[in-house]
Amino acid sequence: MRSTQPRRITVVSASVGAGHDGAARELVRRLVAAGFQAECHDFLDLLPPGCGRLLRGSYALELKVAPWAWGWLLRGLERHQGSNSLVGGLFAKAAARRTRKLIGQDVCAVVSTYPLASQALGRLRRRGELPVPVATFLTDMSVHPLWVAEGVDLHLALHPVAADQAQGHGARLVEICAPLVGPAFRPVRSAAERQRERTRFGLPVDQPVALITAGSWGVGEVEQTAREIAASQVAVPVTVCGHNEALREKLTAAGTGVALGWVDDMPALLRACDVVVQNAGGLTSLEAMASGVPVVSYRCLPGHGVTNAAALDEAGLAVWIRDEQRLGKVLIDALAEVAPPRRRAAPGADDLVAALAGALPAPILEVAS
């Protein structure tokens, strides 16, 4: 690459939950290690004053109080393309001015890890107001139409299942890449290491442990999941409640397994566990897989939780338990699971973004100028 070419890459995420930001931070880390100047920006800050806080708050409230309404909204947007385009267009227009200001002359590529950010960037790219290529990193295994914006040059998918869905929604160029999971997420090296980590987190050292994850907000039918795992007597439920202190207090008072609050060292906690039971199909599921821990989906959140569970099941990555009566059997099977043979590694998202930016040769990327 010529030294006169710009080396700055802008990543746009959104502080709604932890999955979008987690992927963005890891992408920035890798790009910086590769010699780029890379920084992450919050799409909510690009909206008019107060709108981002309102969006985050209403989303969190909906998931906590009426998750069925979130599922209804996503299904409606998917069925009615006009409504989907209207929502994407409204947010794109609202963020247009600040987004244009964000992209300086020295930027060589922009990456989105959030669907509404993709809508804003795609709109600017389509209108010729953004002269550099745009990529969307699809953080979910399932792809809602809002993820796919006309004008985006490249979509990065985690699996052929996600790639097929993105193409079905009109994505023009899709590449499959490895998950954006940090190097600290690795399989446990020995029984002694696992015992040390269990002791550190106050977990039982002589029983199987099922780690229940429900996102950074601890939302969904988490109490029921913990009670039912405990009743199965297959494993001890260990629930990560995130920022939901009320949930942690309820589980602790009821004596349902072990209830943890916000955990700063998730790599170590995952190495301490035998199986992960998740309800959203987000970043923690990918981190668990990178740690060699089997994942199952249960009592999933309406909307993206259900569609992600279906996609993970279709891909053969995580069994989706739809019936409580199957919970114990699936957990037993997961605990006996032998790690599958390692597949040929997909290219890293950072390498594909570097190719999009013109820093690496990649003839497969046929990006419009």
Side-chain angles (χ1 to χ4, degrees):
M1 188 182 73
R2 298 191 307 269
S3 60
T4 55
Q5 287 183 303
R7 296 280 297 181
R8 183 180 296 278
I9 294 177
T10 296
V11 180
V12 184
S13 180
S15 55
V16 286
H20 302 288
D21 280 347
R25 283 194 301 269
E26 176 60 16
L27 178 58
V28 167
R29 185 194 69 80
R30 295 185 189 186
L31 290 171
V32 170
F36 288 94
Q37 298 177 54
E39 68 285 321
C40 183
H41 298 271
D42 192 337
F43 177 74
L44 303 190
D45 293 336
L46 304 179
L47 295 171
C51 291
R53 185 170 61 253
L54 178 62
L55 176 62
R56 184 196 299 111
S58 59
Y59 174 58
L61 182 64
E62 193 168 24
L63 288 183
K64 292 175 183 177
V65 177
W68 60 267
W70 175 245
W72 175 83
L73 175 62
L74 289 186
R75 288 193 301 273
L77 290 174
E78 187 159 12
R79 284 196 301 265
H80 304 290
Q81 185 60 38
S83 299
N84 186 69
S85 299
L86 176 63
V87 170
L90 285 174
F91 278 97
K93 187 174 182 179
R97 183 178 64 83
R98 288 180 171 87
T99 304
R100 281 194 299 266
K101 187 176 179 180
L102 178 69
I103 312 302
Q105 294 296 317
D106 59 343
V107 170
C108 56
V110 186
V111 185
S112 164
T113 65
Y114 181 62
L116 295 178
S118 296
Q119 293 291 331
L121 293 166
R123 179 188 179 98
L124 293 177
R125 181 77 165 136
R126 187 173 71 250
R127 293 185 170 190
E129 298 178 55
L130 187 57
V132 298
V134 174
T136 288
F137 179 83
L138 302 164
T139 59
D140 289 340
M141 276 290 294
S142 65
V143 182
H144 189 273
L146 268 178
W147 269 112
V148 178
E150 185 182 354
V152 170
D153 301 285
L154 173 66
H155 290 78
L156 301 174
L158 298 169
H159 189 276
V161 169
D164 288 346
Q165 291 185 14
Q167 289 172 332
H169 295 313
R172 47 184 297 200
L173 178 62
V174 182
E175 292 289 338
I176 297 170
C177 66
L180 282 170
V181 173
F185 293 94
R186 58 162 178 82
V188 66
R189 294 187 175 120
S190 66
E193 181 186 23
R194 173 166 286 167
Q195 184 166 341
R196 286 195 303 272
E197 302 294 15
R198 288 192 176 188
T199 300
R200 172 186 169 191
F201 287 102
L203 311 184
V205 297
D206 57 351
Q207 296 174 273
V209 170
L211 185 68
I212 303 169
T213 63
S216 63
W217 292 334
V219 294
E221 299 175 339
V222 187
E223 289 180 76
Q224 297 95 314
T225 298
R227 286 198 302 266
E228 289 159 5
I229 291 176
S232 76
Q233 299 184 332
V234 173
V236 175
V238 174
T239 307
V240 180
C241 302
H243 297 299
N244 192 338
E245 186 62 21
L247 173 63
R248 190 189 68 80
E249 291 176 355
K250 286 181 182 179
L251 291 172
T252 300
T256 309
V258 178
L260 303 174
W262 180 261
V263 175
D264 289 318
D265 194 352
M266 277 301 292
L269 180 59
L270 286 168
R271 290 195 291 272
C273 299
D274 299 290
V275 60
V276 167
V277 181
Q278 66 84 32
N279 70 352
L283 182 61
T284 303
S285 299
L286 303 175
E287 292 169 343
M289 294 173 195
S291 302
V293 181
V295 178
V296 300
S297 305
Y298 185 58
R299 289 193 174 274
C300 297
L301 290 171
H304 66 285
V306 169
T307 57
N308 280 339
L312 286 165
D313 193 73
E314 180 183 350
L317 298 175
V319 175
W320 181 14
I321 307 171
R322 299 171 176 84
D323 182 356
E324 179 188 340
Q325 302 303 316
R326 294 189 62 227
L327 176 62
K329 174 63 166 59
V330 173
L331 288 177
I332 290 171
D333 291 344
L335 292 171
E337 183 176 308
V338 177
R342 295 181 66 87
R343 296 179 300 174
R344 184 170 64 88
D350 49 316
D351 289 332
L352 292 169
V353 170
L356 185 72
L360 290 177
I364 58 172
L365 298 180
E366 300 172 356
V367 181
S369 58

